Amino acid sequence: MRSTRTKFLVLAALVGVWVLIFGLRRSDEPVRTSAPPQAGARPARTSASSSAATPRLKAELANLPRAPYPSEVQNIFSPPPPPLPPPPQAVRPPGPAQPAVPPPDPFQEEAKQLRYVGFLRSGNVLTAFIVQGQEIHSVPVGDLLGGRFRVAEVQEESVLLASPAGDKQVRLELSAVAAATAVPRVPGPPR
């Protein structure tokens, strides 16, 4: 009995709060008495405070004339129409055929993964510092780098790498990133 009475009191209190909120909200709104909007006329704007408090429905959009229905009725349950045929290909006039682009050279592609970061002169021996991924290799002139590149020539600005057979060559320029963090050079005899 006591729990039913408590539930009834809570319900009555909530209904009272709801009536109070509803009554206060209605008393704040100004009373409007205006003629219905005419077709093509823009409705008059009210104060910013009342329009910001309660959003209004734009009823004039409901009075616009509707677009006519399409003349062909489409059955939405029928299978879709077949796809359109592809556009015709442009016919090339007979003439010399375009040469096919040769595939990239694996030697050149692998060389793109290398960076020349500096050199060391020790007596008459020049050693190039080459970065491959996260590894730094020091390779003297004439030695192989990874069994794939032979260091043919070392200069301050570049290094010349050749294939072990010597039939292919690639020149690596000094990396701009490496120039800022280059290994200090050991002074050697003047050239």
Side-chain angles (χ1 to χ4, degrees):
M1 176 80 174
R2 184 166 170 89
S3 69
T4 305
R5 184 176 177 196
T6 306
K7 290 179 186 178
F8 181 71
L9 288 175
V10 170
L11 177 64
L14 289 176
V15 168
V17 170
W18 181 77
V19 168
L20 181 67
I21 291 173
F22 185 73
L24 290 176
R25 186 167 190 186
R26 283 292 178 186
S27 67
D28 288 345
E29 291 183 9
V31 177
R32 290 189 190 198
T33 55
S34 63
Q38 297 176 355
R42 295 183 71 179
R45 291 205 154 178
T46 60
S47 67
S49 64
S50 66
S51 65
T54 307
R56 297 287 175 203
L57 178 65
K58 294 183 179 181
E60 64 270 4
L61 296 177
N63 297 330
L64 294 176
R66 292 186 178 178
Y69 287 110
S71 60
E72 292 183 24
V73 178
Q74 195 173 20
N75 183 359
I76 63 171
F77 298 107
S78 66
L84 296 174
Q89 297 290 333
V91 178
R92 290 188 185 192
Q98 295 271 341
V101 178
D105 183 22
F107 181 79
Q108 297 286 337
E109 292 299 313
E110 194 173 337
K112 288 180 183 178
Q113 298 174 2
L114 302 175
R115 285 187 339 201
Y116 174 55
V117 294
F119 75 99
L120 173 70
R121 181 188 312 262
S122 177
N124 291 336
V125 178
L126 289 171
T127 302
F129 292 98
I130 300 174
V131 175
Q132 182 178 20
Q134 296 293 323
E135 299 177 5
I136 299 176
H137 301 277
S138 61
V139 186
V141 174
D143 281 2
L144 286 175
L145 170 66
R148 184 97 169 107
F149 301 97
R150 181 176 305 281
V151 177
E153 175 184 310
V154 176
Q155 297 177 352
E156 283 187 34
E157 297 85 23
S158 65
V159 64
L160 181 66
L161 301 176
S163 64
D167 56 340
K168 299 177 185 177
Q169 292 183 343
V170 65
R171 183 169 297 275
L172 299 177
E173 299 296 324
L174 183 64
S175 174
V177 175
T181 61
V183 178
R185 295 192 326 229
V186 176
R191 293 196 254 188

